[in-house]
Amino acid sequence: MATQTQTLVTFEEYAQLPEQEGVRRELDEGVVVEMALPSIEHGAVQGNTFSSLKQAARQVGADFVVSLNAGFRLAENTDRGPDVCLVRRTRLASME
């Protein structure tokens, strides 16, 4: 059985990768994870989820910002782009 090795990259190297049409990327502990762009159905679910969360946050006066496909650097070599995210406004400044 052959073993497969993965080349680890830094966040800086990841950030320099050229855009590739039809491909979305995330960095997971130094491993570049490539995935196909979401389907139309996926985008519809994403949009509905975004709208529902945004409306709920407004109705209750919650201190949240709702966003689509924002990037989050979670660790030195981990960068994620969730479909929908909910972040406290008071945390936004520390995330910039």
Side-chain angles (χ1 to χ4, degrees):
M1 182 160 120
T3 57
Q4 187 177 26
T5 60
Q6 293 180 320
T7 303
L8 300 180
V9 300
T10 65
F11 178 80
E12 290 73 21
E13 292 168 325
Y14 167 74
Q16 294 300 315
L17 292 174
E19 295 276 329
Q20 189 175 352
E21 189 173 329
V23 176
R24 187 175 153 190
R25 293 187 183 116
E26 291 184 351
L27 185 63
D28 182 26
E29 297 181 1
V31 176
V32 176
V33 179
E34 293 185 340
M35 52 203 117
L37 292 177
S39 67
I40 297 293
E41 184 178 353
H42 179 100
V45 171
Q46 179 185 21
N48 289 338
T49 303
F50 170 82
S51 295
S52 295
L53 285 173
K54 189 172 182 176
Q55 182 179 10
R58 280 186 181 161
Q59 284 178 345
V60 298
D63 179 38
F64 287 102
V65 173
V66 183
S67 184
L68 296 169
N69 300 317
F72 289 92
R73 189 166 179 187
L74 302 176
E76 185 177 348
N77 291 319
T78 301
D79 184 67
R80 300 287 186 171
D83 292 336
V84 179
C85 63
L86 188 66
V87 178
R88 286 191 183 278
R89 287 184 192 280
T90 54
R91 294 283 309 198
L92 289 177
S94 68
M95 295 171 69
E96 298 294 326

